[in-house]
Amino acid sequence: MSVRIIQIHETDNVAIPVEAVSKGAILEGGLTALDDIPQGHKIALRPLAAGEPVIRYGAVIGYLKQAANAGAWINETMIEVPPPPDLDNMPWGTASAAALPVPPRTVFRGYDIPGASFAGIRNILAIMPAVQCVSGVVNAAVEKMKRELLPRFPQVDDIVPLNHAYGCGVAMNVKDSAIWIGSLKNLLRNPNFGGEIMVVGLGCEMLTPDMLLDPEENAPENVIILQECRGFTGMIDAILSMAEKKLHRLNARKRTELPLSKLCVGMQCGGSDAFSGITSNPVAGYASDLLAGAGAAVLFSETTEVRDGVHLIAARCAGEEAAKKLAAEMRWYDAYLRAGGADRTANPSPGNKKGGLATIIEKALGCIAKSGTAPVTEVLSPGERPSQRGLIFAGAPASDMVCGAQQLASGIVLQVFMTGRGTPYGLASAPVIKVSSRTILKELWPDLIDLNAGTIAEGSETIAEAGLRLFNMIIDAASGDYKPWAERYKLHNDLTIFNPAPIT
Amino acid sequence: MSVRIIQIHETDNVAIPVEAVSKGAILEGGLTALDDIPQGHKIALRPLAAGEPVIRYGAVIGYLKQAANAGAWINETMIEVPPPPDLDNMPWGTASAAALPVPPRTVFRGYDIPGASFAGIRNILAIMPAVQCVSGVVNAAVEKMKRELLPRFPQVDDIVPLNHAYGCGVAMNVKDSAIWIGSLKNLLRNPNFGGEIMVVGLGCEMLTPDMLLDPEENAPENVIILQECRGFTGMIDAILSMAEKKLHRLNARKRTELPLSKLCVGMQCGGSDAFSGITSNPVAGYASDLLAGAGAAVLFSETTEVRDGVHLIAARCAGEEAAKKLAAEMRWYDAYLRAGGADRTANPSPGNKKGGLATIIEKALGCIAKSGTAPVTEVLSPGERPSQRGLIFAGAPASDMVCGAQQLASGIVLQVFMTGRGTPYGLASAPVIKVSSRTILKELWPDLIDLNAGTIAEGSETIAEAGLRLFNMIIDAASGDYKPWAERYKLHNDLTIFNPAPIT
């Protein structure tokens, strides 16, 4: 029996085997493997000359340094990476807008917030330190509250400290500090926190509460200053007393049926492999199209991993404003990396390469697959909140933890996380649905992976079928009818708000 | 009765009142207050002309923008800050080395580590994630271990996850990445962890375990790779099983009497006010001199807050190598701030200013007071480990959390933290003794402040007397006979390792 190989686009000159093949093995279509080739790594479909482009997803992922015969293993050491796409005058709105698939469901059951654009899907009391100095006290208070208070408020899902590393000892008045300050300000308003505001300051920090809060919010019922409390016990008492009032209000909230336009979902991938771009990410893209078609807001990010396919996203921008901001976000990141002496070749990671991702271009094409086919209605700077619905590019680093935190700041209430190599990622403030790119990962981690998209590579399910499964899982999770594994285990990574400004 | 004022140096043309004074109040020496002057703020001792230097600690802290009469309040809006000291050709070894005070104790009871330069003072199992992705799992495992394992090992003080935000999604191959990678590598070897190494990796991270570990350490008994575990339960089982073996070994350790040359202590200040430089910091400086005289290593840091007094530290450098490295560390930080568009004028913080610290120079002079009078034997880059004993400048940002993490990486087993405005700061990996600069803070926070140096301002204790109290408290805490408040409450801030390299 020949080994199944996957050619994504008809113009591709490489394909990938769905399992590891030994030298001499016969592949689907009659090709003979000239090398031992790991699962998901590229194999030449025809003889390729030195300097010839390597084509996958119908796009050039690099140029061959040396000639290769049909059936040869094409790995990362053999490919030269060209410069990234030019950001000046990128054509926009040129991609033919295919009709989006019709969503079978258009409502979910969430926690509406009067006057707010989006609804919550969990009922969480969040407490934000104005400065990292106070996080030890906040953590101690949260621990005590989870033991002593939370059981009395069964409609409240959790109490979450929004810890961060800033507020003092960090440059405040430089241009880039607007990113972390704005992100914290928006994070505080994530719809999963039900509109309740609770800030704990020290009293001498640089990030004064008025920088986080609107004037009417900056009041004694929302802000505790530890330097005004009597000792540690006074601090704990003050926090518990304020929290209790807010828990009472949160506990009275009820889910109601809401249109999907009240839902803001984030898409992210991490620990990607060569299958991510053909299984889990296109499945997420299909679910994204269903959500966008139903009027929800769907955010995707990872600036450094979109950079090499940015022309494809620009082509899908619905307006000039979005296209211009997209270029501006990319330019900002190019300059940020350059200032630190870094460039895009630090990506892909060793694990990505092991998984078959040879170049940042190949990784970018796979990364972008999660955005489906919908037009891009808006582009956000890191931590900004959307004003539109549909598919939105929310600029943020690709670092999983930073991207997660930034999307939370932008207001996502649920994240879908696609993984190839596997990561036990989770967020405390929003449920995370994890999608595996390969069946083997779902088998190894049955209690961490929520949905397996490896079925696509095996040919047992179409992208639309798995995408619909994911769409339904998203609505179920949003409605409180499904708890992703990471949420069940209360498994979550530390929040890491993006700060490009210097530490002082 | 006239209000007590403190003039630090005979050449000072300003002094500070030990309590707030009202306009018209008569001050010690017969001066009349011309304004309402807050506690600790500067008062002109004689008529000062526009452009005249403002002198405190016998040093120029800035130049008057406008003339002021004797008795006038001299605040931050009235002072122009000159450029920082030139770093080229700073004279070194020129400060007359006063004889250090004679330490009354020369031993402590600590946990010796065969072959190691320094001993531990607590017996902690530390677990380091190789990448932030795994910290959710590590946290869950630590929680379970604290409940189920730790009670069986009464000689072990704690289990601490060494969480950090890096390992992936961060530039790895740029010059500045050596700081966070080297810091993590050294942090793993903090003497309070008893020489046990435990690293949890994911399997596809950029920071591979061989970058943290020596070849002989990089072995299955020290490293767990989550992508090789069967699901979440398999991960937890693997971590608990490895930890149990290490807990057995740690539990068998005993304190023995050791010379103070086996002790490495860190000094830091935070939330400073105008009293910090005349009460708590000089008290810490006296204790530092006692420790240095007894052969201990004493680290002080806060590059941005030493910068404006760097010539004073250079003058105390015992050798040219230290002086040159001191200038290099300062130059690096100047460039780092400049690259981010920041400069030193972002410091002092609003809280510092409220507390009477008008300029970064005044803050620096107070900050440096904690280094006492001992010669500087060595200068370290952020996170480097000392090779000498005595007083050592360990380059690190002034941000409390970052400085704490970097000093832990450099190997401190105990930190002394001086605070004026007050912070509930603590570290999980090392006890922190908190020293208040004012009595009022000790009265407000009796269960957070370990030692009150406000007595100096009141004239009820000398610096030597309070310094000796602090020295004894340090030895007692090191020997396990005293638990600082933050340790009793398990009050600690998140670790924040310094990373000047870009996030990707």
Side-chain angles (χ1 to χ4, degrees), chain B residues 375-422:
Chain B
V376 176
T377 58
E378 191 173 14
V379 170
L380 307 176
S381 293
E384 272 186 350
R385 287 190 292 176
S387 67
Q388 304 295 314
R389 296 295 186 276
L391 182 68
I392 293 165
F393 178 73
S399 167
D400 298 347
M401 321 308 149
V402 184
C403 180
Q406 292 305 123
Q407 288 195 350
L408 283 174
S410 290
I412 64 155
V413 293
L414 179 149
Q415 200 182 47
V416 184
F417 190 96
M418 285 64 70
T419 184
R421 311 289 299 169

Side-chain angles (χ1 to χ4, degrees), chain A residues 137-412:
Chain A
V137 172
V138 170
N139 289 342
V142 168
E143 221 170 274
K144 191 174 160 81
M145 287 193 278
K146 283 188 176 182
R147 260 190 339 260
E148 298 175 12
L149 280 185
L150 198 54
R152 290 172 35 211
F153 300 96
Q155 299 308 314
V156 179
D157 292 305
D158 207 356
I159 304 174
V160 173
L162 301 176
N163 289 330
H164 57 88
Y166 317 120
C168 226
V170 49
M172 296 284 300
N173 300 316
V174 301
K175 204 171 129 271
D176 289 344
S177 59
I179 293 180
W180 67 264
I181 297 173
S183 297
L184 288 180
K185 190 168 176 167
N186 286 344
L187 176 60
L188 201 51
R189 289 157 178 80
N190 184 291
N192 282 345
F193 309 147
E196 294 293 339
I197 298 279
M198 187 164 167
V199 170
V200 178
L202 182 59
C204 62
E205 61 271 30
M206 292 193 176
L207 186 76
T208 47
D210 60 290
M211 298 176 78
L212 287 174
L213 302 174
D214 295 335
E216 71 280 9
E217 294 168 334
N218 192 0
E221 62 265 28
N222 297 326
V223 181
I224 292 169
I225 301 297
L226 296 192
Q227 284 174 351
E228 294 166 2
C229 297
R230 185 151 292 276
F232 177 70
T233 49
M235 296 171 186
I236 298 291
D237 290 349
I239 295 173
L240 263 69
S241 158
M242 180 183 288
E244 191 168 352
K245 294 189 191 88
K246 293 177 186 291
L247 287 168
H248 268 292
R249 284 198 293 272
L250 290 173
N251 199 50
R253 302 173 77 212
K254 293 211 181 333
R255 288 183 187 271
T256 55
E257 190 172 283
L258 299 167
L260 283 178
S261 60
K262 283 271 183 181
L263 187 65
C264 181
V265 170
M267 295 280 173
Q268 201 196 159
C269 59
S272 298
D273 64 7
F275 287 97
S276 298
I278 54 174
T279 61
S280 51
N281 283 2
V283 164
Y286 191 88
S288 169
D289 281 350
L290 286 169
L291 287 165
V298 184
L299 274 51
F300 74 112
S301 305
E302 303 173 65
T303 304
T304 50
E305 293 176 12
V306 167
R307 178 67 181 87
D308 276 271
V310 65
H311 53 298
L312 305 174
I313 300 299
R316 286 164 56 196
C317 280
E320 188 177 7
E321 193 185 339
K324 281 198 164 165
K325 196 160 174 192
L326 181 67
E329 285 302 316
M330 296 288 151
R331 260 188 220 104
W332 182 91
Y333 222 103
D334 283 357
Y336 166 68
L337 289 179
R338 203 165 43 234
D343 66 34
R344 68 207 235 281
T345 58
N347 214 330
S349 74
N352 292 149
K353 288 178 183 165
K354 221 165 141 186
L357 290 178
T359 71
I360 179 62
I361 306 176
E362 186 176 16
K363 189 169 178 179
L365 294 167
C367 176
I368 287 173
K370 76 164 90 67
S371 68
T373 63
V376 175
T377 58
E378 190 174 16
V379 171
L380 307 176
S381 294
E384 272 186 350
R385 287 190 292 176
S387 66
Q388 304 296 313
R389 295 295 186 278
L391 183 68
I392 292 164
F393 178 73
S399 167
D400 298 347
M401 319 309 149
V402 184
C403 181
Q406 292 306 125
Q407 287 195 351
L408 284 174
S410 290
I412 65 157

